[in-house]
Amino acid sequence: MLIMAVRRWTAVVGDTEMTRQVVARIKIILLLVALAPATAQKPAQQPAKVSPSNPQLVSAEIERRVDALLARMTLQEKLGQLVQYNADGAPSATVTTGQQHNLAANPEVGYRIDAMQLAANGEMGSMLNVSPARIHAYQQAAVDKSRLHIPLLFGADVIHGYRTVYPIPLALAASFDPDLTSSLARMAAEEASSAGIRWFYSPMVDISRDARWGRSVEGAGEDAFLGAAMARAYVRGYQNDRLSQPDSVAATIKHFAAYGATEAGREYNTTDMSTSRLFQDYLPPYQSGVDAGAASVMSAFNALNGVPSTANPYLLDTILRKQWGFDGVVVSDYTAIMELINHGIALDAATATEKAINAGVDVDMMSHFYDTQLPALIRSGRVPMAEVDEAVRRVLRLKFALGLFDHPYPAQPEVSAVTPERRALALRAAEESIVLLQNKLVSNTPLLPLKPGTKIALIGPLADNAREMVGSSSGVHRDSEVVTVRAALEARAGGPILYAQGTQILSNSDDGFAAAEQIARESDVIVLALGESAAMSGEAGSRAELDLPGNQLELLKRIAAVGKPVVLLVFSGRPLVLTSAAQNAQAILEVWFPGIESGDAIVHLLYGEESPSGKLPMSFPESIGQEPLYYNQFPTGRPANSADLNEPPGPDSRFISRYIDAPNAALFPFGFGLSYTTFSYSAVAVSLPSVPLRAERPGAASLVTATATVTNTGTRTATEVVQCYVRNRGASLEQPVRSLQGFERVTLAPGESKQVSFTLGFNELSFFDNTGKKVIEPTQYTVWIGGDSLASNAAEFSIER
Ligand code: BGC
């Protein structure tokens, strides 16, 4: 309680010297109380610490066991805990191919290790992405053969399910449903832990405002508020409140920090931004994951303001450890320590190692540097032994907290099949995450949902493609477990349907067009399944064009010319430019990569058994030149106001912030998504027209409440994501034109209404200044409540001195 109060107070008055001293003293007292038995012998050395981000990692019992173990470890065994290898020890191609200076920088490292031998010697603490079939053998080597019997910790990239693969994270963000996300994360943890995996390199919470960046697929999109909610949800699901339960998995918040701000959307590229922007738009999801108790954080590949994250003490120590109180393990990204040489901030392996460990990286993933370089660095005093000990402690604490010393092997037999209950959860997730982008009238009624008995022609390279429709990083699922769109439509029809592939995902050949046109002519409605392959997004999946790949748009145009209504299903791991596609299809469903239940979910929506409720977590551009594109942009001195930006600029509309050949607005904006019903919103009311700014006000959970009534004005029961946006004018720094500060999923029967209120407190109304301090100033606020980021019903209030 006391620490919470101090934290709030710090947030209010800022990180002044006086605050730091008070906080430090209180923390020392609390820590001494918490660790009373363990610290009895050495009270004087106890360092000041902020309250632990996850108290399970620092219990007195764990501390005693860590102390005892550490006292018995040799240097080699200690360094072993800090290195992580995959089964063959081979680092990525980027390091081995044509990078001779790396070889020279680290000549003592062959590019292979014998992981089994290291496990048996107690010289390796953790492993990544080991096949489930081999996990047991490695663990046995570590537990039975190594001198101190320290178990290995197995980590893996479980991104959207292990056996039961559910929609990609960007799609889940479209559900605006953190509770559902937690349940899915729980399911993934139950499945993977049964194979011995107790550490996920997930969630990726990097904010991504540039659709060219392929890793947009792994995150929650462009908004910090939504991103923070999703980060908490994953951590809750993976860790399940108790790390020690055998089916809990340690979460990793990655990639710290601002990896998604990569310039030009090009993978691994540099980032550069103001402190205010970093704290306001990029850090909140990481912090939210840490506050939720995430047991680990991964340092990112990219440089931020010139300093690679993996050697960045400001990020890893000042912010993560000192300001946020993070007590878990920092693991580097894959070969990221070695890559410090490529970044040009280290001339040799020793310096790269020194910079990484001194900055706060505990575990070296695949660089082969900590084990080879640290002995000499410690001998020469360049790296203090105490620092190494502290990193080892963190790794051991995590292993104790996970209960690995007591139960190194899974408690359950490996989950090796998809159960009906798990399938049902994956189905619900797919249904909730699909976004209806367009639904034009055909014969005076919206094309979707389709009427029973409609004769469908199913066309496209993704219609029956089990491999691609689950997306990248798709666990250990089997393709045979995936229900494709074709399989689901045939199951429903009780026999074959009209189907043609039309073209490949990436092809210039129109050989398949004629057969596709033929079945289109025989149908009432064409369902066209187009989009990206799984590998076109994900790591190293940056694209410079965001069109439908290959000749898919050509296929769409040819099919549309047949004259039958077209429902376009877009499979993608990111926003695409759908401007031409939207002119050639009457209805568009953005289905993302929906996972093993792709087909059933899509068919339920096509026929209206479910009404779409997904909302876009990233803006869909009208033109690629608009990227990076995000709704919560900053105002300019030359706003476009009501100029018609679809027209080339005339004399009155040239010298404003605009393009001369494209509008400023997204084709489909953040928060947008249609339904099979319609919703109306009442005027917005605020609880107070003005709020006094008093010293004790900031930090308050509730300063103003904004309320509106939403009504289902259509004929079907459906779910709406009610969204609350805020703008702050008159502050010392310019603030975004609006930013999301609340959302709620509301299910309403036809004619039903619900009053929805959003509580706006210090967190929602404050902003970060350029020292990283959260402040609230006497300013004017506008609050909107509606169904997307263009919501127009608003109310005003002010904060006054
Ligand atoms: C990715 C990480 C991933 C790691 C281990 C890296 O290339 O950036 O997100 O966790 O590999 O597979």
Side-chain angles (χ1 to χ4, degrees):
M1 286 306 284
L2 189 52
I3 276 297
M4 299 265 288
V6 171
R7 270 188 160 178
R8 253 183 246 131
W9 182 59
T10 310
V12 175
V13 301
D15 192 17
T16 61
E17 189 45 43
M18 191 182 85
T19 314
R20 276 196 291 275
Q21 284 178 16
V22 174
V23 172
R25 282 200 193 120
I26 292 172
K27 280 156 194 164
I28 290 172
I29 295 166
L30 287 185
L31 202 78
L32 288 176
V33 172
L35 303 181
T39 53
Q41 301 88 22
K42 40 177 183 170
Q45 287 92 15
Q46 204 57 54
K49 256 178 120 285
V50 290
S51 58
S53 57
N54 186 336
Q56 295 169 55
L57 295 170
V58 289
S59 78
E61 167 64 10
I62 287 181
E63 227 41 36
R64 260 197 304 274
R65 293 180 78 177
V66 169
D67 279 344
L69 189 53
L70 204 64
R72 298 173 58 207
M73 292 171 82
T74 63
L75 178 62
Q76 243 177 344
E77 285 165 339
K78 286 179 180 177
L79 298 183
Q81 291 305 308
L82 305 186
V83 294
Q84 181 173 109
Y85 294 111
N86 58 18
D88 63 9
S92 66
T94 51
V95 181
T96 48
T97 318
Q99 304 267 328
Q100 291 313 314
H101 56 284
N102 282 338
L103 198 60
N106 189 14
E108 60 270 55
V109 177
Y111 285 99
R112 298 193 93 76
I113 46 98
D114 180 344
M116 194 58 83
Q117 196 56 52
L118 288 181
N121 293 351
E123 289 174 354
M124 176 175 64
S126 52
M127 297 190 76
L128 77 150
N129 296 338
V130 176
S131 89
R134 300 186 64 193
I135 285 180
H136 189 88
Y138 281 111
Q139 191 65 301
Q140 219 163 22
V143 171
D144 294 349
K145 297 199 182 139
S146 74
R147 190 178 73 91
L148 294 171
H149 313 291
I150 301 176
L152 289 167
L153 175 52
F154 294 92
D157 289 300
V158 175
I159 308 298
H160 54 119
Y162 184 68
R163 160 73 47 200
T164 309
V165 173
Y166 45 83
I168 53 161
L170 187 62
L172 282 190
S175 74
F176 281 69
D177 193 343
D179 289 341
L180 171 69
T181 303
S182 270
S183 309
L184 294 159
R186 184 86 290 277
M187 173 169 80
E190 283 167 8
E191 292 182 348
S193 60
S194 76
I197 297 166
R198 300 291 306 282
W199 189 6
F200 284 174
Y201 308 124
S202 169
M204 187 196 96
V205 304
D206 305 316
I207 291 299
S208 146
R209 294 167 151 191
D210 193 327
R212 291 172 295 182
W213 191 50
R215 295 199 88 165
S216 303
V217 67
E218 280 182 59
E222 73 191 36
D223 182 71
F225 186 89
L226 177 60
M230 297 307 277
R232 275 192 295 278
Y234 282 105
V235 174
R236 214 167 57 227
Y238 292 154
Q239 299 192 171
N240 204 18
D241 294 335
R242 277 271 118 224
L243 283 169
S244 59
Q245 284 168 13
D247 63 359
S248 288
V249 170
T252 303
I253 298 298
K254 74 183 188 186
H255 308 81
F256 192 63
Y259 182 40
T262 175
E263 278 183 7
R266 178 158 58 76
E267 183 68 305
Y268 313 126
N269 203 6
T270 201
T271 64
D272 207 300
M273 67 178 75
S274 70
T275 303
S276 161
R277 178 167 285 207
L278 175 68
F279 275 80
Q280 192 142 317
D281 297 324
Y282 287 88
L283 294 189
Y286 306 110
Q287 185 173 12
S288 152
V290 167
D291 286 349
S296 76
V297 165
M298 186 182 288
S299 68
F301 285 128
N302 62 291
L304 173 65
N305 302 339
V307 187
S309 300
T310 299
N312 194 326
Y314 175 61
L315 287 176
L316 299 177
D317 192 49
T318 308
I319 295 178
L320 184 64
R321 297 266 181 225
K322 298 214 170 76
Q323 292 182 12
W324 298 353
F326 177 65
D327 278 287
V329 171
V330 174
V331 58
S332 79
D333 204 342
Y334 200 107
T335 60
I337 301 175
M338 183 180 277
E339 291 170 29
L340 296 177
I341 298 171
N342 294 347
H343 275 285
I345 65 146
L347 293 177
D348 52 32
T351 311
T353 305
E354 179 187 9
K355 289 198 170 194
I357 195 153
N358 286 345
V361 176
D362 300 316
V363 174
D364 168 358
M365 180 192 280
M366 297 299 299
S367 285
H368 299 232
F369 275 15
Y370 274 16
D371 41 2
T372 55
Q373 304 302 313
L374 277 172
L377 288 167
I378 295 166
R379 270 197 307 277
S380 68
R382 281 168 73 182
V383 171
M385 190 60 216
E387 201 162 81
V388 172
D389 277 345
E390 191 50 33
V392 179
R393 271 178 186 284
R394 292 191 189 114
V395 173
L396 294 177
R397 280 185 194 129
L398 177 56
K399 290 185 175 183
F400 278 115
L402 285 165
L404 276 180
F405 283 88
D406 305 317
H407 307 287
Y409 301 103
Q412 307 287 332
E414 186 182 343
V415 173
S416 56
V418 178
T419 63
E421 300 75 40
R422 292 194 165 121
R423 201 172 262 291
L425 192 60
L427 173 63
R428 198 182 124 209
E431 288 167 352
E432 280 194 19
S433 60
I434 291 172
V435 186
L436 178 62
L437 295 178
Q438 177 164 292
N439 197 11
K440 288 188 181 159
L441 300 183
V442 173
S443 313
N444 290 325
T445 27
L447 175 56
L448 292 178
L450 300 176
K451 291 172 201 59
T454 304
K455 191 170 181 194
I456 289 177
L458 177 66
I459 298 171
L462 282 135
D464 196 27
N465 198 332
R467 168 71 28 107
E468 301 297 345
M469 68 177 68
V470 287
S472 55
S473 301
S474 48
V476 295
H477 84 280
R478 298 188 194 99
D479 288 348
S480 58
E481 289 162 343
V482 180
V483 181
T484 67
V485 184
R486 182 185 186 186
L489 281 172
E490 291 191 336
R492 192 182 172 95
I497 57 160
L498 295 173
Y499 165 74
Q501 188 176 312
T503 188
Q504 311 277 335
I505 292 177
L506 197 54
S507 163
N508 290 322
S509 161
D510 61 4
D511 290 354
F513 283 19
E517 285 168 298
Q518 179 55 38
I519 63 162
R521 277 190 282 271
E522 294 168 31
S523 72
D524 302 326
V525 167
I526 299 142
V527 175
L528 204 44
L530 304 181
E532 299 184 306
S533 67
M536 286 178 182
S537 57
E539 185 172 356
S542 292
R543 290 184 65 196
E545 302 292 345
L546 294 176
D547 300 326
L548 289 166
N551 62 359
Q552 294 185 57
L553 183 60
E554 247 175 274
L555 173 67
L556 167 58
K557 288 180 177 168
R558 288 271 287 270
I559 296 296
V562 170
K564 304 287 174 65
V566 174
V567 179
L568 174 60
L569 308 176
V570 180
F571 290 79
S572 67
R574 54 151 67 83
L576 295 182
V577 174
L578 297 175
T579 314
S580 298
Q583 287 154 11
N584 287 280
Q586 282 68 33
I588 305 179
L589 284 166
E590 171 62 49
V591 303
W592 316 103
F593 292 114
I596 61 164
E597 276 297 309
S598 294
D600 284 333
I602 289 167
V603 169
H604 290 174
L605 293 175
L606 285 177
Y607 282 99
E609 279 136 29
E610 294 293 328
S611 179
S613 60
K615 301 278 189 170
L616 293 179
M618 272 182 95
S619 306
F620 274 49
E622 163 121 12
S623 149
I624 187 143
Q626 296 172 316
E627 294 291 339
L629 180 66
Y630 46 95
Y631 80 97
N632 49 348
Q633 55 193 272
F634 287 87
T636 68
R638 302 267 180 109
N641 291 334
S642 56
D644 182 355
L645 300 178
N646 291 302
E647 296 289 327
D652 303 340
S653 62
R654 183 170 178 107
F655 295 100
I656 58 178
S657 179
R658 64 166 296 175
Y659 300 100
I660 60 171
D661 52 2
N664 290 354
L667 181 65
F668 301 112
F670 176 86
F672 173 79
L674 300 169
S675 165
Y676 293 157
T677 192
T678 44
F679 296 98
S680 74
Y681 283 84
S682 72
V684 179
V686 286
S687 55
L688 291 169
S690 83
V691 182
L693 174 72
R694 291 203 303 268
E696 72 275 19
R697 278 293 188 187
S702 168
L703 294 171
V704 177
T705 303
T707 304
T709 299
V710 54
T711 304
N712 181 342
T713 49
T715 55
R716 288 167 174 269
T717 296
T719 300
E720 167 76 326
V721 179
V722 179
Q723 300 157 47
C724 174
Y725 294 87
V726 173
R727 179 174 185 185
N728 171 7
R729 278 172 304 126
S732 50
L733 283 182
E734 65 177 32
Q735 294 301 308
V737 292
R738 58 175 71 188
S739 50
L740 185 73
Q741 295 299 345
F743 60 84
E744 187 178 326
R745 287 176 60 87
V746 174
T747 303
L748 297 172
E752 197 185 350
S753 295
K754 186 172 179 203
Q755 208 178 55
V756 183
S757 291
F758 295 96
T759 303
L760 303 173
F762 179 70
N763 276 340
E764 291 75 24
L765 300 179
S766 56
F767 63 92
F768 284 95
D769 69 12
N770 262 322
T771 66
K773 192 171 93 179
K774 219 172 191 192
V775 295
I776 203 159
E777 292 177 347
T779 52
Q780 188 67 32
Y781 289 83
T782 309
V783 51
W784 293 263
I785 296 179
D788 59 47
S789 58
L790 302 180
S792 53
N793 293 1
E796 303 269 324
F797 65 94
S798 57
I799 292 195
E800 280 166 16
R801 224 177 262 289

